[in-house]
Amino acid sequence: MLVRIDPGSDVPIFDQVAGSIRADMVAGHIRPGDKLAPARELAASLQVNLHTVLRAYQLLREEGLVDMRRGRGAVATPAAATLGELRSEIVELSRKARALGMPPDALAALVRDSLRLDAD
Amino acid sequence: MLVRIDPGSDVPIFDQVAGSIRADMVAGHIRPGDKLAPARELAASLQVNLHTVLRAYQLLREEGLVDMRRGRGAVATPAAATLGELRSEIVELSRKARALGMPPDALAALVRDSLRLDAD
DNA sequence: CAAGTGTTATAGTTTTTATAGAACAGTTGC
DNA sequence: GCAACTGTTCTATAAAAACTATAACACTTG
């Protein structure tokens, strides 16, 4: 599990960490049953505080993507696999948006709002 | 131009305003050449500070979606029309994500990261 | 029982967001 | 020309969110 963050980004670190892990689930690099890196260990490797990583992990848990228990660590759930079903759509959308020169944050906000609305 | 915001949301107001306007561009409700509401006027109707609305407008300008000049106001650019090309993809992705019970913020982060990466 | 895990609590600093008021500088239309 | 309206810039403040730091706690595994 390789997590990358950009300290200079305006996106919160905990959000970047969660996003990086979600991307690995979509790509199939993280599959159900796989253990995530221990929070303390990941925090050290990213040179970030333990709580920042834990917040990312808890965000993923709220989304049903990981199971967490003290002593056992964080483990990817079956829901992590269903994420892969979105892969082709996301790739296609990204491709078109890139061709239009659309900034990532703008497209993300667009998708977020679309999903938030009751009907499309 | 109808702008809706949710004061209780965790999404910043300026981001919601920009998002609402982008959504109108995707839907074709705002077309190139259309004038956006004057910042002071929109701020008053949303009961929000002038600077908050201006920040949203300037965000859209940085994305090339609007032209702004003092005295003349904010006007949608040709880029606002190309946004509509993304409509079907966004709708389809939202539909699938909703079926998977995916939270809007999680999907948004996924799309954002996908677009940010050099290659898919 | 020891080592490793997430959990909780408290505290403090930094950054971001949002507000407020004022003055400035272009544009438009009378 | 000028009055009204536009975004722009500036200073200042308050509130909220993000991040760090430290410590203690509780469950799991070997």
Side-chain angles (χ1 to χ4, degrees), chain B residues 3-88:
Chain B
V3 175
R4 291 183 174 282
I5 64 173
D6 173 13
S9 169
D10 55 329
V11 179
I13 298 174
F14 77 90
D15 212 338
Q16 293 186 49
V17 172
S20 178
I21 294 172
R22 272 192 228 101
D24 276 346
M25 290 174 171
V26 170
H29 298 148
I30 296 180
R31 323 183 73 175
D34 287 354
K35 285 188 60 176
L36 301 192
R40 282 178 180 82
E41 181 183 312
L42 181 55
S45 80
L46 294 177
Q47 298 185 49
V48 147
N49 193 271
L50 162 67
H51 298 102
T52 304
V53 171
L54 280 177
R55 182 167 178 186
Y57 279 17
Q58 286 159 3
L59 185 58
L60 295 173
R61 178 174 57 181
E62 289 169 8
E63 295 168 5
L65 297 175
V66 301
D67 262 341
M68 287 174 74
R69 288 189 185 173
R70 30 182 140 183
R72 301 176 65 178
V75 180
T77 69
T82 70
L83 230 54
E85 299 178 20
L86 300 175
R87 185 174 180 280
S88 60

